[in-house]
Amino acid sequence: MTNEELKRTLWDTANKLRGSVSAAEYKYPVLGMVFLKYVSDLFDAQSNVIRQRIAEPGSDYYIEDEATRRASEDVFVGDKTFYDQDNVFWIPKGAHFSTLLALATAPDLPQLLDKAMGDIEAENPSLRGVLYREFSRLALEPGKLGELMGLIARLKFDPAKHGSRDVFGEVYEYFLGQFAMNEGAKAGEFYTPKNVVNLLVEILAPFKGTIYDPACGSGGMFVQSAKFKDAHQKTLGKQGDLAIYGQELMAQTRRLCLMNLAVHGLDGDLGQTYGSSFTNDQHKTLRADYILANPPFNISDWDGDKLTDDPRWVHGIPPKGNANFAWLQHMLARLSSRGRAGIVLANGSMSSQQSGEGEIRRAMVQADVVECMVALPGQLFSNTQIPVCLWFLSRNKAAGENGRIDRRRQILFIDARKAASGRVSRTQIEFNDDDLQRLGQTYHRWRGTEFCEGGEYADEPGFCYSASLEDVEKHGYVLTPGRYVGAVVEDDDDEAFANKMERLTAQLAEQMAKGAELDAVIREKLGALGYGV
């Protein structure tokens, strides 16, 4: 079974078990259980590492005498310090997944799971307040939790098997996406579609430095950034390194993020607690090299009235009734001298004039901090059909470490509204790999970065245009890409108008006749079943 088949099978089965429990409520125990299985497997793998160390002559812990070594093995394997020193979570015996799996049919399994999660938190300070501990309150039918454990038990972490750690990460990520699709409108707080994240990552290209997301949700930006770095280490022939910083408003979503980082083998600083990046900023002194974010669109209850004197509002005080330009300026304030940011925002942010937003946008353009604007198609998100855009900001557009081509006083506009070829469902589309490659390389050619895979940048009518700030001024500092890229040039097929109309009407008449034949067949079949139309 391939990883794709495994993920799909696990999801289908797990989803059936939830019965009448909502997807929004069900995701916490399911993802919590995936996490428990992962840390239990990791614990077992570390036990084997410790056994190997005391048997390895070159190891500091080597015990030469075999009888003594065997007698000491349990002492070493049972010593928590050997797990702490390698950053492996300590799992008490009664909290191990296999111990609980053996009790899967016990009537008090929910209580045992709650206790196990509490015991793990008590032994591992970094997990305090992170794990799901409400199994006993879950309104699942009796026995379903045990069945769910049996299902999750199929996931295995085997350090001898290449990529086995990734299986947990991929399953966790896949489940997050599936829960988002099932939750619909409620999913926005924790999940950004993977291919939108991938587009941000492809253009921003996080490789070495600090990365920050002030509205980090379940941590998808961090996971995809780490994957980008890993994928490019070989092609660039050098080592990447990303230090992760984030903040999340919702306590439960912050827990999902911490678990997501852990199952992907990543460390991150999400601050001391959950809270608003506006009023309870956990990273005030941070200056990040990369910022990626999908903050909540158009929110009005962001406490703007308490922050009118905030030093972050360099380009103007954001309106109290909409946080879009507060997010943009917050992220600008957290960028390093070479830093760049990619932000998902509502389309209105590109053209709005009310409440001073037009003035803030003008000031940002004149300060030359806007680098690239991308218009996205509708139907990319599971929770909204509203078309959105990507803002890319930069603290350094000169030739240098961010690219060999000096792009000061220029902005790249990309109209990607017709660039998505993939389809997730009847109501949701996505960028496939070729689409992402085309969009990412358009930016990298324009900027001349080390991620450019060859070719020179050229404006393409209907798709991309490199505008000067004077061009933008002529458009009243409106940043909608469609205003700049123009229309696609259609090839003239040289067919005379009269001939074309004759051909097309004949084609239409043929299709209408076929439609009428099919209608008659359907009526006949339904009539035979006693359902005349």
Side-chain angles (χ1 to χ4, degrees), residues 123-138:
E123 292 287 353
N124 301 279
S126 64
L127 290 178
R128 275 176 197 158
V130 171
L131 303 183
Y132 180 79
R133 295 169 59 184
E134 297 181 11
F135 289 97
S136 53
R137 295 185 185 178
L138 204 59

Side-chain angles (χ1 to χ4, degrees), residues 164-296:
S164 60
R165 181 193 288 263
D166 291 344
V167 172
F168 279 91
E170 285 184 22
V171 166
Y172 193 92
E173 207 174 321
Y174 182 79
F175 276 24
L176 275 173
Q178 293 298 313
F179 278 122
M181 286 182 68
N182 275 260
E183 288 186 46
K186 295 176 183 172
E189 76 176 44
F190 75 89
Y191 189 76
T192 304
K194 187 178 170 186
N195 76 116
V196 175
V197 179
N198 283 342
L199 178 54
L200 276 169
V201 168
E202 283 296 325
I203 292 179
L204 206 60
F207 189 73
K208 195 175 185 67
T210 52
I211 181 170
Y212 170 54
D213 182 348
C216 65
S218 53
M221 302 289 184
F222 303 136
V223 171
Q224 296 308 321
S225 295
K227 286 182 180 177
F228 179 92
K229 179 213 51 168
D230 292 343
H232 285 79
Q233 284 182 148
K234 189 173 285 185
T235 54
L236 293 178
K238 59 184 181 182
Q239 195 72 22
D241 184 26
L242 293 173
I244 293 171
Y245 294 86
Q247 185 163 343
E248 169 53 41
L249 176 65
M250 310 297 290
Q252 286 186 318
T253 307
R254 183 173 181 272
R255 290 177 197 142
L256 291 181
C257 182
L258 287 165
M259 288 193 287
N260 197 8
L261 290 176
V263 297
H264 281 91
L266 301 172
D267 291 321
D269 180 350
L270 301 192
Q272 292 296 309
T273 183
Y274 61 92
S276 164
S277 289
F278 294 131
T279 56
N280 185 18
D281 187 0
Q282 301 283 299
H283 302 291
K284 286 183 178 176
T285 59
L286 176 69
R287 296 296 177 266
D289 301 308
Y290 310 96
I291 298 179
L292 300 92
N294 173 22

